[in-house]
């Protein structure tokens, strides 16, 4: 699907009273493979089961094609699809399973798509099926024949995609920040902190010292932090070949801090206090361990939030709520995948 086609569909759909529906799934981009012979045979059988619904080999093949086209547009000839085939298929399988989970969860919660909405969308809002602005049944039939689909199969895909986008938008609407929240965010943006941190790499420390000495030094570091003994902390950091770095001033509303690559350590930054600048615990994230200390703070006047800030916050929140909702439904569902499909030629 070209950029112009996507923009055109978005404009046309945004005026609908129900929701703005963008078919970004396997419904439109598969058109670039119009007439492409299938690599997985005649499209019979299934590659996964989600509760009582089966995901067909044909749908799996189309989704794999869509993902391949996406990466081809992104990376061009640099992408070696032969070596990445299994990863592409894993992504295709997971995409289809998630789409089915969303469809079932939406139906269970009364988020439905009517037959009239599906028919109206196919006839009026898919440019690929039109000529001079008019729906051409011949184009539609040719597409169904090329993809070995029935009208019912395709309409079901459209129905699921509508439910998917509609559900996402419902969560996004519910995630709209209030005026009080926006004011608080503005206050947080005006407050900035500069954090000192030291990263201890367990593997590097073991090589530099020995496992016994490195473990002893980490244990001593842990004890020194608990006591708030900065002199002892610095002594153990020196023993472990770890040095202090600083992030520079960062807004309190930031989600990441420069040079701190660990999300666990980033979350721990918000435990720092002016009254106790040194965090009295060692932050552990795999082989990496972090010592954190608040160096300084300052307040800068912020006149107003950036124009897109509220919308970006709303979308980020909505996406998070949507993902949590899908994962919760998945945890209560029966999902099985045919991993043999990943090996098919």
């Amino acid at each position: 699907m070209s950029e112009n086609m996507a923009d055109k569909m978005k404009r046309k759909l945004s005026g609908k009273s129900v929701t703005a529906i963008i078919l970004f799934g396997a419904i439109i981009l598969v058109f670039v493979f119009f007439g492409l012979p299938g690599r997985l045979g005649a499209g019979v059988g299934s590659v996964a089961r989600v509760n009582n619904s089966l995901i067909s080999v044909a749908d799996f093949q189309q989704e794999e094609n869509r993902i391949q086209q996406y990466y081809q547009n992104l990376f061009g000839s640099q992408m070696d699809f032969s070596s990445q085939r299994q990863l592409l298929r894993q992504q295709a399988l997971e995409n289809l399973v998630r789409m089915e989970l969303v469809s079932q969860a939406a139906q269970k919660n009364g988020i439905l798509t009517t037959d009239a909405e599906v028919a109206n969308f196919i006839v009026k809002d898919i440019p690929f099926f039109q000529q001079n602005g008019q729906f051409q049944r011949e184009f539609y039939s040719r597409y169904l024949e090329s993809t070995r689909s029935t009208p019912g199969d395709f309409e079901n895909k459209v129905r699921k995609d509508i439910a998917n986008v509609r559900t996402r938008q419902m969560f996004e609407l519910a995630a709209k920040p209030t005026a009080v929240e926006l004011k608080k965010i503005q206050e947080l943006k005006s407050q900035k902190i500069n954090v000192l941190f030291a990263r201890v790499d367990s593997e590097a420390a073991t090589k530099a010292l020995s496992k016994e000495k490195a473990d002893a030094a980490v244990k001593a570091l842990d004890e020194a932090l608990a006591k708030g003994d900065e002199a002892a902390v610095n002594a153990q950091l020196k023993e472990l070949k770890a040095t202090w770095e600083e992030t520079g001033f960062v807004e309190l509303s930031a989600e990441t801090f420069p040079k701190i690559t660990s999300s666990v350590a980033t979350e721990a930054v918000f435990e720092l206090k002016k009254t106790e600048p040194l965090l009295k615990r060692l932050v552990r994230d795999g082989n990496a361990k972090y010592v954190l200390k608040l160096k300084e703070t300052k307040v800068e006047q912020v006149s107003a939030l950036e124009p897109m800030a509220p919308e970006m916050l709303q979308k980020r929140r909505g996406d998070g709520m949507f993902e949590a909702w899908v994962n919760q439904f998945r945890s209560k569902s029966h999902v099985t995948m045919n991993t043999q499909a990943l090996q098919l030629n």
Side-chain angles (χ1 to χ4, degrees):
M1 181 171 62
S2 68
E3 187 69 24
N4 289 337
M5 186 183 293
D7 291 342
K8 182 178 180 182
M9 290 183 69
K10 186 174 182 179
R11 286 196 302 271
K12 292 179 71 176
L13 292 169
S14 63
K16 290 183 178 293
S17 59
V18 183
T19 59
I21 303 163
I22 306 170
L23 291 182
F24 55 86
I27 297 176
I28 296 302
L29 285 181
V30 70
F31 292 161
V32 299
F33 290 93
F34 191 70
L36 186 71
R39 288 194 301 272
L40 302 181
V44 295
S46 62
V47 294
R49 176 188 291 272
V50 180
N51 296 318
N52 293 323
S53 296
L54 297 176
I55 295 175
S56 71
V57 172
D59 286 345
F60 174 65
Q61 175 186 309
Q62 290 177 15
E63 180 64 8
E64 182 189 348
N65 289 342
R66 184 194 70 80
I67 295 172
Q68 178 174 323
Q69 179 66 20
Y70 169 79
Y71 285 121
Q72 202 163 39
N73 291 339
L74 203 61
F75 299 109
S77 58
Q78 299 177 9
M79 187 73 178
D80 181 7
F81 292 108
S82 60
S83 64
Q84 301 297 323
R85 180 63 57 196
Q86 189 165 10
L87 290 176
L88 288 177
R89 288 178 174 175
Q90 286 175 342
Q91 184 176 345
L93 193 56
E94 177 61 23
N95 287 356
L96 292 171
V97 167
R98 282 182 57 79
M99 178 68 77
E100 182 59 36
L101 284 166
V102 171
S103 175
Q104 291 183 21
Q107 187 173 14
K108 183 176 180 180
N109 286 272
I111 306 171
L112 306 176
T113 305
T114 67
D115 293 341
E117 286 176 312
V118 173
N120 190 60
F121 190 88
I122 293 173
V123 171
K124 296 183 179 179
D125 297 308
I126 301 182
F128 188 83
F129 295 155
Q130 296 180 4
Q131 186 175 56
N132 299 323
Q134 298 297 315
F135 175 73
Q136 302 295 314
R137 182 164 295 278
E138 179 186 352
F139 295 173
Y140 181 43
S141 299
R142 194 183 305 163
Y143 167 76
L144 294 177
E145 181 180 354
S146 173
T147 56
R148 300 185 181 92
S149 301
T150 66
D153 292 335
F154 183 72
E155 289 166 14
N156 191 42
K157 291 179 185 179
V158 173
R159 191 184 307 277
K160 289 179 180 179
D161 210 66
I162 290 175
N164 188 321
V165 179
R166 174 175 290 164
T167 306
R168 281 184 175 274
Q169 289 191 333
M170 288 177 66
F171 278 106
E172 191 171 323
L173 285 172
K176 185 175 182 178
T178 65
V180 174
E181 288 175 313
L182 292 176
K183 184 179 179 181
K184 184 63 178 178
I185 291 172
Q186 187 172 343
E187 291 175 358
L188 289 174
K189 288 181 74 67
S190 68
Q191 300 176 37
K192 298 187 176 182
I193 61 173
N194 185 9
V195 177
L196 287 170
F197 70 95
R199 183 179 183 275
V200 177
D201 188 311
S202 297
E203 291 185 0
T206 298
K207 289 179 181 179
L209 303 171
S210 68
K211 189 175 187 313
E212 293 75 14
K213 288 184 178 180
D215 289 345
V218 169
K219 182 179 179 181
L221 176 60
D222 234 340
E223 293 172 350
L225 285 169
K227 295 175 182 177
D229 187 342
E230 292 194 37
V233 167
N234 287 327
Q236 294 307 319
L237 287 175
K238 184 177 181 180
E239 177 75 10
L240 290 162
K241 315 299 183 189
T243 57
W244 288 104
E245 297 181 68
E246 60 182 90
T247 61
F249 281 105
V250 182
E251 296 173 358
L252 272 179
S253 60
E255 295 184 355
T256 59
F257 284 76
K259 303 179 185 177
I260 298 181
T261 56
S262 164
S263 60
V264 177
T266 298
E267 291 177 7
V269 165
F270 296 98
E271 299 177 30
L272 297 172
K273 305 173 185 178
K274 287 184 180 180
T275 54
E276 293 181 354
L278 183 67
L279 186 64
K280 291 188 174 182
R281 69 180 182 90
L282 193 60
V283 180
R284 290 174 164 79
D285 187 4
N287 287 324
K289 299 171 179 62
Y290 290 83
V291 178
L292 302 176
K293 181 180 178 181
L294 180 62
K295 181 179 181 181
E296 53 191 328
T297 66
K298 69 176 180 179
V299 178
E300 293 182 349
Q301 186 63 36
V302 177
S303 56
L305 293 174
E306 297 176 5
M308 293 298 293
E311 292 183 24
M312 292 173 64
L313 173 61
Q314 181 177 353
K315 187 178 188 313
R316 189 164 61 248
R317 277 185 178 178
D319 287 346
M321 293 166 64
F322 176 80
E323 292 301 322
W325 177 73
V326 175
N327 290 336
Q328 183 182 43
F329 184 78
R330 184 171 192 155
S331 68
K332 299 177 181 178
S333 298
H334 180 65
V335 178
T336 56
M337 298 184 186
N338 179 9
T339 55
Q340 290 181 347
L342 305 178
Q343 311 299 330
L344 293 176
N345 296 319

